[in-house]
Amino acid sequence: MGFEEDDEHDRPPPTGLPPASQHPAEPLSGHADGVTVTVDEAAEIRDVSLDRGWRRLVDPRRLGDATLAAANEATMRALAKQVEQPPESPDAPAPPPYRPITPQDAVRLLDEVAADLTAFTRRLAEATGPVSVESQGGHVHGTSHGGRVTALKVDPQWVNQARDSELIAELREVLAGLRVRSAPAHLAAGPDSPAIAELNALARDPHTLLRGLGLLP
């Protein structure tokens, strides 16, 4: 099956992506050699597109390199946006109700917090280490480290035969997969557990803590 320059017109609409009306007024995009990658303000992959006649702009064998450059440019724009507009801090929870705290309770709580922090550090190390993703079709393979895409390889023989819609689908699949695996949402907010929440609440209200330990009336 050969490629056609105009086959981008038969692309199916992106699946599982927000409609264009929900995108930011100024999409956070990166562009390189006929490839555009668009992300949201959280740097989540929203779209990949190919310019009309992109095959005249870049050697098809360099499609992976062009997509890599566009993806990282888009990600840097998203990170810059986050620095300009940091998210609002949530309201601090109410202090815990007073209850007596024995030295044994304090030791138990600190032991639980230490164990939870160790587990979080291990999960974070696993998530921020090098990760690899291959498309279901097996034609695109990507690697990322610490949330940054470091390599994107595309089967050159497949590039010469595939339609633009097929290229876009596998490129988007791999980029989105790398983002999910290298920046899991459940780790983004930092360590969290019942023991850590309890310790943080006590630290925000030292008066209650000292009363619980019997050091204040």
Side-chain angles (χ1 to χ4, degrees):
M1 176 176 58
F3 67 83
E4 300 177 5
E5 288 291 354
D6 293 333
D7 63 7
E8 56 262 45
H9 296 297
D10 61 8
R11 300 173 191 160
T15 301
L17 300 178
S21 61
Q22 295 181 15
H23 287 174
E26 296 181 1
L28 303 173
S29 300
H31 186 271
D33 295 328
V35 182
T36 300
V37 176
T38 302
V39 302
D40 62 17
E41 293 187 3
E44 302 293 340
I45 300 297
R46 288 300 176 220
D47 198 15
V48 177
S49 61
L50 299 174
D51 291 352
R52 180 187 296 275
W54 69 270
R55 296 175 192 270
R56 294 191 295 268
L57 301 175
V58 60
D59 185 332
R61 292 171 297 182
R62 295 193 58 253
L63 178 60
D65 294 337
T67 307
L68 171 67
N72 283 330
E73 180 184 345
T75 299
M76 292 304 297
R77 289 180 183 274
L79 294 177
K81 190 77 170 180
Q82 293 173 18
V83 171
E84 294 172 3
Q85 300 177 349
E88 297 182 1
S89 300
D91 295 334
Y98 165 75
R99 67 177 179 84
I101 301 175
T102 67
Q104 291 78 12
D105 290 334
V107 170
R108 172 197 55 77
L109 180 60
L110 293 176
D111 286 345
E112 291 180 3
V113 168
D116 292 340
L117 290 176
T118 298
F120 176 82
T121 301
R122 183 179 64 253
R123 294 194 302 271
L124 187 62
E126 293 171 352
T128 56
V131 297
S132 296
V133 171
E134 184 175 85
S135 62
Q136 290 186 356
H139 304 113
V140 181
H141 182 275
T143 304
S144 68
H145 192 182
R148 179 177 180 273
V149 182
T150 55
L152 197 63
K153 304 298 182 184
V154 184
D155 181 348
Q157 294 183 345
W158 176 68
V159 171
N160 289 327
Q161 300 173 351
R163 291 178 175 271
D164 284 4
S165 56
E166 296 169 329
L167 296 171
I168 288 171
E170 293 202 28
L171 288 168
R172 186 170 54 217
E173 175 192 350
V174 169
L175 288 175
L178 289 172
R179 175 63 184 170
V180 169
R181 292 193 57 190
S182 63
H186 67 282
L187 298 179
D192 186 27
S193 72
I196 292 174
E198 182 180 355
L199 182 61
N200 286 335
L202 290 171
R204 283 191 294 267
D205 186 21
H207 184 78
T208 297
L209 175 60
L210 293 175
R211 284 183 64 203
L213 290 171
L215 300 178
L216 287 178

